[in-house]
Amino acid sequence: MSIAPDDPRLRAAAAALASARSIVVLTGAGASAESGVPTFRDAMTGLWAKYDAHQLATPEAFARDPELVTRWYDWRRMLVLGCRPNPGHLALAALQARAASEGRSFTLLTQNVDRLHQAAGSTGVVELHGTILQWRCTKTGEVFEPPPRPFDSFPPRSPAGGLLRPCVVWFGEALPPEALDAAERAIAACDLFIAVGTSGVVYPAAGFAAQAGARGAVTVEINRDPTPLSDVVDICLRGTSGQILPRLAAMLGLTIAAPQNDNPPRQAGSPT
Ligand code: BJW
């Protein structure tokens, strides 16, 4: 059930968005669900139903069975290349543009690997878990942006003959240091922190709301379902990001353009 338009929690969140000097938004897979990207924990459908996502998203799985792991990631890469930003992505981009025009800081941290925030127009997006649209050679470290069609053979190889792997962060791997630094600096300075569509169980991102709250920021969760973050934040907004974020934007006087259905597919080139 979604939150009522006149709910005081919605008004409190809109007031915080209108007045905060430094806003941090953390998004998770739920933010892309209404674009048709399966959430991490729902990604195992069809041919992949017999596998556990936690078992595939590890360096150990890649070492053991690079063909299986790269087939899964290439299937997901093709899926996200066919997806478009939803009204939640567009609302975040509009809120960021508004904040910037008023000289206020707005940092978007995402755990998502689909680059839909960038496609919606968000800038300076901090990719905590990398991106599935880029792959790197495990031999040379060279990064490639494969063309928008499936790899010809699995596991894919670079021109140097090394195995290619997606530029994502697997369990047990360190987050990109520059992304973690940027997140920590933004959290230390923020007076409003909003977690959108994340299950709040994967660290370090799962700890960000508590860190922001401990430093005195107002904390908000937007999620379809309760999560461990629900007990940590000041304001829980229960509903989908594609409904709630445009509503908050509208309360600040922003109009969100309807997503374009006739966009050409996103293009990828190679190498970067
Ligand atoms: C909607 C909606 C709609 C649906 N609207 N809502 C401290 C304590 C315990 C463990 C650890 C710890 N610190 C580190 C760890 C270990 C580990 C970890 O956290 N394990 C936990 C499982 C316990 N963390 C790590 O290993 C991290 N590395 C690390 O800390 O390194 C330290 C180190 C330092 C130096 C050297 C070496 C190491 C790395 C974590 C990397 C996570 N990677 C993944 C895979 C990325 C690639 C891929 O996509 O395949 O990232 S795992 C997966 O989870 C993915 C996601 O980004 C991430 C978070 O998932 P998310 O986004 O929350 O999605 P879901 O599916 O879980 O939830 C969706 C939510 O949306 C739900 O709540 C729905 O209700 C909601 N929703 N529709 C709004 N329309």
Side-chain angles (χ1 to χ4, degrees):
M1 195 181 67
S2 192
I3 198 159
D6 59 347
D7 190 293
R9 288 166 297 181
L10 203 58
R11 276 191 266 117
L17 262 171
S19 64
R21 301 301 314 160
S22 182
I23 301 163
V24 172
V25 176
L26 168 70
T27 62
S32 292
E34 287 153 281
S35 293
V37 182
T39 66
F40 186 71
R41 276 148 195 84
D42 288 343
M44 313 317 283
T45 54
L47 285 177
W48 299 101
K50 63 181 174 192
Y51 299 99
D52 174 358
H54 294 90
Q55 309 286 297
L56 294 182
T58 68
E60 292 78 15
F62 179 66
R64 195 170 49 241
D65 196 341
E67 176 178 342
L68 176 72
V69 171
T70 54
R71 278 190 189 279
W72 183 52
Y73 276 96
D74 204 40
W75 171 74
R76 291 175 54 205
R77 180 175 72 93
M78 295 317 296
L79 196 155
V80 305
L81 278 171
C83 292
R84 304 281 176 271
N86 68 57
H89 293 112
L90 298 172
L92 285 174
L95 287 165
Q96 182 182 40
R98 164 65 63 86
S101 74
E102 295 171 348
R104 302 186 293 128
S105 161
F106 187 112
T107 305
L108 181 53
L109 314 175
T110 189
Q111 299 169 88
N112 298 342
V113 297
D114 54 35
R115 296 218 158 146
L116 285 173
H117 287 304
Q118 291 91 329
S122 289
T123 56
V125 180
V126 178
E127 292 181 321
L128 296 165
H129 294 165
T131 174
I132 202 168
L133 301 184
Q134 294 184 327
W135 293 53
R136 70 172 178 269
C137 174
T138 53
K139 195 160 145 190
T140 64
E142 191 180 0
V143 172
F144 298 84
E145 195 157 325
R149 56 173 185 277
F151 286 111
D152 295 332
S153 60
F154 292 91
R157 289 188 179 270
S158 75
L163 290 180
L164 282 175
R165 60 156 287 180
C167 291
V168 300
V169 181
W170 283 325
F171 286 115
E173 292 186 323
L175 274 62
E178 59 289 355
L180 196 53
D181 282 357
E184 281 169 355
R185 270 185 277 110
I187 291 163
C190 77
D191 52 359
L192 174 63
F193 179 94
I194 306 178
V196 180
T198 178
S199 54
V201 295
V202 176
Y203 286 84
F208 290 171
Q211 286 168 31
R215 290 171 179 271
V218 173
T219 52
V220 179
E221 177 184 59
I222 298 173
N223 201 304
R224 200 190 54 187
D225 302 321
T227 76
L229 302 184
S230 312
D231 298 327
V232 170
V233 297
D234 300 310
I235 304 171
C236 268
L237 302 177
R238 195 66 61 227
T240 74
S241 55
Q243 292 169 338
I244 291 182
L245 287 167
R247 205 176 281 175
L248 285 171
M251 290 166 87
L252 270 63
L254 295 167
T255 311
I256 306 307
Q260 303 283 304
N261 289 324
D262 53 354
N263 286 348
R266 290 188 290 181
Q267 295 297 310
S270 74
T272 57

